[in-house]
């Protein structure tokens, strides 16, 4: 678990190592003040990777609503097998503060 503070409008890039070549994908779920942040996947990695090689994925978390707190749970799963436990998980706690330079 990692805790960060973001100003409204600021962003944070999180890099997670994936196992996409083995069918796993990272998903995320936001709880708490879900409107306080937005999460999106950054540009996908290059298409040319060795078979079975780990793939690094980048996700951008952006602060939206000052005073909000959100928990983002990333889980690495295989979509064809939703009943399986996640291969890996990562939790990011985010506190959104007033934008930098705001009075």
């Amino acid at each position: 678990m990692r805790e960060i503070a973001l100003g409204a409008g600021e962003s944070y890039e999180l890099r997670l190592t994936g196992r996409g070549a083995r069918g796993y994908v990272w998903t995320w779920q936001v709880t708490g003040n879900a409107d306080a942040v937005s999460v999106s996947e950054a540009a996908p990695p290059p298409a040319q990777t060795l078979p079975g090689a780990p793939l690094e994925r980048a996700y951008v978390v952006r602060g939206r609503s000052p005073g909000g707190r959100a928990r983002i749970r990333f889980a690495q799963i295989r979509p064809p097998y939703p009943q399986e436990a996640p291969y890996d998980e990562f939790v990011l706690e985010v506190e959104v503060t007033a934008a930098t330079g705001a009075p």
Side-chain angles (χ1 to χ4, degrees), residues 11-51:
S11 62
Y12 173 79
E13 185 172 283
L14 175 66
R15 295 186 173 275
L16 298 172
T17 300
R19 298 173 66 83
R22 295 196 174 133
Y24 288 89
V25 298
W26 284 103
T27 62
W28 63 87
Q29 179 180 20
V30 181
T31 58
N33 301 113
D35 292 338
V37 297
S38 65
V39 182
S40 60
E41 190 169 359
Q48 294 183 350
T49 56
L50 295 174

Side-chain angles (χ1 to χ4, degrees), residues 52-98:
L55 301 173
E56 187 174 81
R57 297 298 233 183
Y59 299 89
V60 177
V61 178
R62 185 172 306 279
R64 296 179 63 196
S65 301
R69 293 185 69 85
R71 174 180 279 207
I72 307 166
R73 179 183 167 268
F74 290 88
Q76 195 173 40
I77 64 164
R78 290 193 301 173
Y81 307 100
Q83 72 283 2
E84 286 184 358
Y87 177 80
D88 197 5
E89 294 182 313
F90 184 82
V91 175
L92 184 65
E93 294 270 352
V94 184
E95 177 182 2
V96 183
T97 61

